[in-house]
Amino acid sequence: VLVAQIIVDGLMIGGMYSLEAMGLLIIYGVLRVLNLAHGEFLLIGSYLTIAFFSLNPLLGPAISIMVLLLVGLALQRYLLTDKITGNRPTTPLIITFGISITLQNVYLELFTANPYGISTPFPSLNVLGVYFPVSTLSAFLIAIVSLVVIYFVLNRTFLGMAIRAATKSPDDASLIGIDVRRVKTIAFVLGAVLAAIAGSVMTLQYSVTPYTGLTFLMIAFTVIVLGGFSVPGVLAAGFVLGIAGSVWGFYLPMEYTNAVVFAIFLIVIIIRPSGLVGKEGK
Amino acid sequence: MNRTVKLQVGILAAIGLLLLPLPLLHGTGTIVNFLVYALIFLILAESFNFLTGYAGQISLGSAAFFGIGAYTLTVSLTWYKVPPIPSLLVAGAVPAVLSVLVALPLFRLKQDVFAIGTLGFALILQIIVLYQNSLGGPSGLSIVGVAYNINLDYYIDLISAVLIVIAIVLLLNSKFGFGLVSIREDEDVAESLGIPVLKYKVLAFALSSLFAGIAGGVYALYVFHVSSDLLGITWTVNAMVICIIGGGGTVMGPAVMSLIFVWLQNYLLVSYPVVDTFIYAIMLIVVVVFLPDGLMTLYRLTITKQPRKPGLLEKEMLGLRKDERK
């Protein structure tokens, strides 16, 4: 039963990890921009959800989706344009890093460094001796539904096809009449909206501080590397990391989560730079 | 060594010699304190600049190597009673060795992996140091058993800064330096020209960490106390701000900017103690967007009146981009 519990916990967290990584991956894939502010984007969702939770659990996520939609749009239109980022590959990194630090300091001002979480207690379901806390379960379900929707959008719609084409080769995509600039904007907004959902879902499981953003950026990026920079890879890698997480959570104190994630990140890079699913990437 | 290089080295050495007797002439006052602080930032920013401005590899972990340097110096001075100057060398060597270990896996993948990997490295290192009771845990370590002497700090600081900047100038005008710049401009082309890209990148990172470690060591000598904050992201932001706003890829830009920065920080700390990092981050974004070459653009445009010449490759890329936009 203990093993089953660890695996169930891991799977639940894994869904969330995949969702966090998916937003980052879509932006990275299409724009070739590693959004270092992704963790702070998640926190917008988290803080808004926590703030409005007692009013209505869905109000916070709804607002944060709209906020991040606008933020993503503005960023893509005015800061991460080809004209600005074109000259040097380091520019987008510096810009998103700057945004990350800016937001972190805004959170510090507004919410202090204290952890915030949802204080409402949740009941637990007990199935054959394995506990399913309702909070985690709903987080898992929301994550899975969002991931299925994204997977469907990417694989079964014209927009998804355009996004995937622009990921593979922007030049060829524009050659066959795909408006790459628009696809880029849509992808960035999509990534930001996914961040909002992931951030809201996260609050069902964790309490957050302004520094949580960097931790989740690391986790999301580890998932991407583990998944070999591909959509199916990320889905699988999230669960792998989730299970690994619940295993080490048994033996190590919480403070070392970051260190373990980073160790996994390094090991993957050394042993399998192409990620777990290897050639499926490209 | 050609003439301009000789001239630059001569000027740097002369500046160093001129500033050396300052504490004797002027006494130990605000100016000496100001310079000690500014020179620490100067070394740190030049270390960041060497890697990002010249080699084009962005590291978000400067603070890690700065912090390791500071801790190494404190430990070697307090526990092992090594005199300050050998301690300082150790404080540079330890981060350099560590950086090679980190760089070898990180440079195997794309540049973004390196950036986020170094960021992660700094985060983890800070946590490890924070929970390491032998290193003082959250309260940090103080240097004990050594007399505090600000004049000595000043001399060590000034001499290391001058030597490091001279070393950077010489390195940049060597085959290695040209190799680094070509890696920055286009890694694939550099590779095809027979430049050992991986070796050069690792070497550049190691040197940059060495300089950062020395900056940390000097800082520890000046403040006499180290804590895990030194490994925190604030110091990375400081290094970035000075380098990028001053003008990455120039030696003078970060040097001038470190003076402005310390002045600004003294001013900000008095008026707005909490928001300084926030302001720096905003400044960073604004400068990257509007003045990608930093303040050195202004210098180029107003004093030497030469517009920035885009390289051949860059021109081609810009040309392609124009076509794409239609």
Side-chain angles (χ1 to χ4, degrees):
Chain A
V1 174
L2 185 66
V3 175
Q5 181 76 54
I6 289 180
I7 290 177
V8 166
D9 284 351
L11 287 176
M12 302 266 166
I13 302 171
M16 224 154 34
Y17 285 176
S18 294
L19 189 59
E20 275 157 21
M22 197 58 78
L24 193 61
L25 178 67
I26 290 178
I27 295 177
Y28 188 73
V30 180
L31 277 87
R32 300 271 161 237
V33 167
L34 176 58
N35 181 13
L36 292 171
H38 192 72
E40 278 68 28
F41 281 8
L42 292 170
L43 286 184
I44 292 184
S46 307
Y47 277 122
L48 283 171
T49 307
I50 294 167
F52 292 110
F53 196 79
S54 51
L55 231 67
N56 182 343
L58 292 178
L59 187 60
I63 297 177
S64 59
I65 286 174
M66 279 190 295
V67 168
L68 275 170
L69 207 145
L70 293 177
V71 169
L73 205 62
L75 264 184
Q76 216 286 319
R77 272 286 154 78
Y78 300 109
L79 273 183
L80 298 169
T81 57
D82 283 350
K83 210 176 132 207
I84 292 170
T85 60
N87 279 336
R88 294 141 213 248
T90 49
T91 307
L93 286 171
I94 296 172
I95 292 177
T96 54
F97 186 66
I99 294 167
S100 157
I101 300 297
T102 310
L103 284 175
Q104 199 183 60
N105 280 282
V106 170
Y107 299 149
L108 273 173
E109 273 301 289
L110 292 177
F111 309 110
T112 68
N114 299 326
Y116 276 89
I118 293 167
S119 44
T120 326
F122 290 99
S124 253
L125 302 178
N126 187 337
V127 181
L128 299 171
V130 178
Y131 285 95
F132 292 86
V134 169
S135 55
T136 327
L137 194 62
S138 38
F140 177 72
L141 290 178
I142 297 170
I144 291 299
V145 169
S146 322
L147 287 172
V148 168
V149 170
I150 281 301
Y151 196 78
F152 179 78
V153 168
L154 285 180
N155 284 299
R156 294 280 182 276
T157 64
F158 182 75
L159 175 67
M161 244 155 50
I163 289 180
R164 283 186 298 139
T167 308
K168 290 266 178 205
S169 168
D171 292 346
D172 297 335
S174 62
L175 203 64
I176 56 164
I178 293 171
D179 187 347
V180 176
R181 282 220 304 164
R182 246 185 77 202
V183 169
K184 280 184 175 177
T185 310
I186 292 171
F188 201 95
V189 169
L190 195 62
V193 167
L194 277 176
I197 299 172
S200 311
V201 168
M202 243 164 65
T203 53
L204 293 168
Q205 178 82 13
Y206 300 105
S207 23
V208 294
T209 73
Y211 301 110
T212 319
L214 284 174
T215 307
F216 279 104
L217 175 70
M218 271 314 289
I219 292 178
F221 197 71
T222 305
V223 171
I224 291 183
V225 171
L226 202 62
F229 293 89
S230 73
V231 174
V234 160
L235 292 177
F239 291 109
V240 171
L241 199 70
I243 293 176
S246 72
V247 171
W248 86 63
F250 241 74
Y251 299 102
L252 283 171
M254 265 298 282
E255 291 88 49
Y256 289 101
T257 309
N258 271 326
V260 181
V261 172
F262 187 67
I264 294 176
F265 172 70
L266 279 187
I267 293 168
V268 173
I269 289 181
I270 293 167
I271 301 175
R272 286 217 60 150
S274 53
L276 276 187
V277 278
K279 277 152 220 142
E280 253 186 78
K282 43 174 175 158
Chain B
M1 205 161 54
N2 71 32
R3 225 187 191 153
T4 8
V5 181
K6 270 186 193 161
L7 189 70
Q8 282 175 336
V9 172
I11 291 174
L12 285 168
I15 293 175
L17 281 176
L18 273 177
L19 285 174
L20 206 56
L22 192 74
L24 298 176
L25 298 174
H26 201 270
T28 309
T30 339
I31 296 183
V32 171
N33 270 298
F34 177 85
L35 277 178
V36 170
Y37 215 41
L39 286 169
I40 293 167
F41 279 115
L42 188 151
I43 302 175
L44 186 62
E46 293 289 1
S47 114
F48 182 84
N49 187 23
F50 188 64
L51 189 67
T52 305
Y54 289 103
Q57 309 299 313
I58 191 155
S59 155
L60 301 175
S62 306
F65 301 107
F66 180 77
I68 297 171
Y71 268 93
T72 310
L73 181 115
T74 309
V75 166
S76 101
L77 208 60
T78 312
W79 296 0
Y80 301 105
K81 310 282 177 228
V82 182
I85 290 171
S87 290
L88 197 60
L89 294 178
V90 179
V94 173
V97 171
L98 252 175
S99 70
V100 172
L101 295 180
V102 178
L104 283 176
L106 288 185
F107 276 135
R108 289 175 64 177
L109 292 183
K110 288 168 234 160
Q111 187 189 32
D112 306 318
V113 176
F114 178 69
I116 200 164
T118 45
L119 177 68
F121 177 70
L123 285 178
I124 273 81
L125 211 69
Q126 191 185 14
I127 292 169
I128 292 174
V129 169
L130 189 64
Y131 289 99
Q132 199 72 40
N133 286 329
S134 59
L135 290 176
S139 52
L141 281 180
S142 287
I143 296 180
V144 277
V146 186
Y148 183 73
N149 182 347
I150 183 144
N151 286 356
L152 182 68
D153 290 349
Y154 175 76
Y155 297 136
I156 293 179
D157 196 1
L158 182 64
I159 292 169
S160 358
V162 169
L163 287 181
I164 284 174
V165 176
I166 288 179
I168 288 177
V169 170
L170 291 180
L171 280 171
L172 288 176
N173 285 286
S174 68
K175 201 178 138 199
F176 173 57
F178 295 135
L180 287 185
V181 173
S182 67
I183 291 172
R184 176 187 73 190
E185 293 300 324
D186 192 317
E187 214 173 300
D188 297 332
V189 173
E191 183 98 61
S192 72
L193 288 173
I195 292 166
V197 172
L198 183 66
K199 196 175 123 196
Y200 274 18
K201 285 204 290 196
V202 172
L203 201 57
F205 188 41
L207 282 168
S208 160
S209 309
L210 176 97
F211 302 150
I214 289 177
V218 177
Y219 181 80
L221 266 182
Y222 173 58
V223 180
F224 253 51
H225 180 84
V226 291
S227 70
S228 62
D229 291 350
L230 294 182
L231 299 128
I233 213 144
T234 320
W235 284 91
T236 305
V237 176
N238 289 344
M240 262 174 116
V241 165
I242 297 174
C243 172
I244 307 280
I245 297 182
T250 63
V251 175
M252 207 171 94
V256 173
M257 188 59 203
S258 60
L259 294 173
I260 301 174
F261 183 81
V262 174
W263 173 80
L264 193 70
Q265 207 180 30
N266 286 341
Y267 168 75
L268 283 178
L269 277 179
V270 176
S271 327
Y272 315 97
V274 205
V275 290
D276 54 343
T277 314
F278 173 76
I279 295 175
Y280 299 147
I282 298 273
M283 269 160 58
L284 199 59
I285 299 172
V286 171
V287 167
V288 166
V289 171
F290 295 105
L291 275 180
D293 280 327
L295 296 179
M296 286 306 277
T297 327
L298 300 179
Y299 168 79
R300 278 212 190 87
L301 290 179
T302 52
I303 297 178
T304 58
K305 298 222 160 105
Q306 56 175 206
R308 184 170 178 277
K309 276 180 267 169
L312 197 65
L313 197 82
E314 231 169 299
K315 252 187 215 160
E316 198 181 359
M317 277 165 68
L318 289 171
L320 278 180
R321 288 231 148 70
K322 255 177 227 154
D323 295 343
E324 205 179 81
R325 220 171 283 147
K326 280 177 211 163

